[in-house]
Amino acid sequence: MPESPGGGDAGAPPQTTELERPHTDQNAAEKTDADPPVLSKNAQKKLAKQQRFEAKKAEKKAAAKEQKRRDVERKRKEWEDSLAGVSQEERAKLLESRRTLRKERMEKRSLEKENKRERLTVAREQGQNVVVDLQFSHLMNPNEIHSLVQQVRFSTQNTGFHLEKVFRLSAAAIGMHLSVISRNNNDRCASPAHLWLTGCDGEMDSALKRIPGFDKWIIEKENRSYIEALCDRKEDLVYLTADSEIVLEELDLKKFYIIGGLVDRNRWKGITLKKAQEQGIQTAKLPIGNFMKMSSSQVLTVNQVVEILLKFLETRDWKTSFFAVIPQRKRCQSDSEGNEENTVKEEHEQNDGLTASKKKCVEEVPSNS
């Protein structure tokens, strides 16, 4: 019977030299590094869904950009054709009229900016303080952080689309931005709140700084937590959380109302209440249940909570504030039907205003100079 290659029993593994052993371990390590982690079927479905969403989003953005370019080019050509078909005197009148309209528009925007700056400056001294707690970035993935940054942006600013610019876009692009324009953000309010962003560090800070004009926002931006930044006002801190047992009946100008900046798809239930309790600060929840039934949880986005608070500061009426802000898809059917008339009326008023703006804007054409 021939001897086994290793010199031992046939069932024993062949021996390797010390020189061969590190080489084998290295190959195994390289194989481990090269092989991607195995995802579960559920994780694979989620990843595929996210990839489809991102691809569709990029496609829509590219289509809107291309449509805008074509619309600008078409209007410029129409303007040049209109100038070419008139006498030199008429041409001069058209150009002068256009310069006058542009000057008036720029003066109007300048006045609006000055009024906004004045309102926000007064709010810093006399307005309601609202804090957004941004210390949860370590619990979110990049897409969730991006979503939160957009919510913060919607709370404080419009998205940079002026009405006349929006109405130059295609119908698809208008659908993407129309809801943002009608939002009741802090800059547009007659009596705005004074907003604080606390915990602005790391990835969250980088994401916020990528927003155009972020450095010019008239708000408080703190790298520290609200506990550190407002250590001398701890007794006035109130964390708004749907898990609190205390119902908020009225807003107190002396208080700082804190909103948890967390997009977690319900992974971290009760985390804001637990945080507030550990810090020994007050908690409260909006009185949503007193006026409507939610079809799901009472958790709202950051910008929705800010809009509700701003609407209440304007009307001093919780019911009006809730039905003006909370989307119908989040309400039970009975509540939606009971307030359908008011909602339709508000939508008609908004559409009338937007239609009037559109009629005014379509008369303008982009400048070639």
Side-chain angles (χ1 to χ4, degrees), residues 180-315:
V180 174
I181 294 172
S182 63
R183 280 192 171 98
N184 186 29
N185 58 54
N186 197 52
D187 282 4
R188 293 172 175 266
C189 289
S191 300
H194 183 47
L195 298 181
W196 295 64
L197 301 182
T198 62
C200 301
D201 59 356
E203 191 173 356
M204 181 61 64
D205 183 51
S206 301
L208 287 169
K209 287 180 178 177
R210 286 195 290 269
I211 299 176
F214 174 71
D215 57 324
K216 298 179 181 179
W217 290 7
I218 305 177
I219 62 175
E220 304 298 332
K221 308 160 194 171
E222 283 283 349
N223 294 330
R224 300 174 295 170
S225 68
Y226 55 83
I227 284 290
E228 295 173 317
L230 300 167
C231 57
D232 58 334
R233 302 290 300 274
K234 185 176 179 180
E235 68 279 1
D236 292 325
L237 301 180
V238 181
Y239 213 118
L240 298 180
T241 169
D243 299 308
S244 176
E245 296 181 357
I246 302 173
V247 178
L248 185 66
E249 300 292 346
E250 185 61 65
L251 294 181
D252 186 347
L253 285 176
K254 296 179 182 179
K255 302 292 185 181
F256 289 74
Y257 295 100
I258 306 168
I259 304 169
L262 176 62
V263 178
D264 65 338
R265 316 302 179 193
N266 292 325
R267 294 194 308 271
W268 302 96
K269 293 182 179 180
I271 190 172
T272 52
L273 176 64
K274 181 179 179 182
K275 179 177 183 178
Q277 289 174 339
E278 291 176 349
Q279 293 174 336
I281 64 175
Q282 303 173 62
T283 65
K285 64 180 177 181
L286 297 176
I288 299 175
N290 295 351
F291 302 98
M292 69 168 63
K293 292 181 180 180
M294 302 286 280
S295 58
S296 57
S297 70
Q298 294 190 12
V299 177
L300 303 172
T301 62
V302 169
N303 54 295
Q304 286 172 345
V305 177
V306 171
E307 290 175 41
I308 288 171
L309 297 179
L310 293 174
K311 195 68 176 178
F312 182 78
L313 290 172
E314 175 190 345
T315 64

Side-chain angles (χ1 to χ4, degrees), residues 3 16 72 124 170 179-180 185 266 269-270 296 312 340 366 368:
E3 189 177 351
T16 57
V72 169
R124 174 173 279 169
S170 64
S179 61
V180 174
N185 58 54
N266 292 325
K269 293 182 179 180
S296 57
F312 182 78
E340 184 176 358
N368 195 28

Side-chain angles (χ1 to χ4, degrees), residues 87-99:
S87 64
Q88 193 68 23
E89 183 179 354
E90 288 295 324
R91 177 187 175 94
K93 289 182 179 179
L94 287 172
L95 290 172
E96 181 61 29
S97 174
R98 182 175 175 78
R99 293 191 194 99

Side-chain angles (χ1 to χ4, degrees), residues 10-61:
Q15 296 180 1
T16 57
T17 65
E18 290 297 326
L19 187 62
E20 293 173 326
R21 191 171 291 116
H23 180 70
T24 304
D25 294 343
Q26 183 179 358
N27 288 341
E30 289 177 354
K31 184 177 180 182
T32 302
D33 293 340
D35 293 340
V38 179
L39 299 177
S40 65
K41 289 186 178 180
N42 191 31
Q44 290 177 11
K45 289 180 180 179
K46 287 184 177 180
L47 179 60
K49 182 178 180 181
Q50 181 64 30
Q51 290 173 342
R52 289 195 301 271
F53 172 78
E54 293 295 337
K56 189 174 182 180
K57 182 178 178 182
E59 184 181 344
K60 285 184 177 180
K61 185 176 180 180

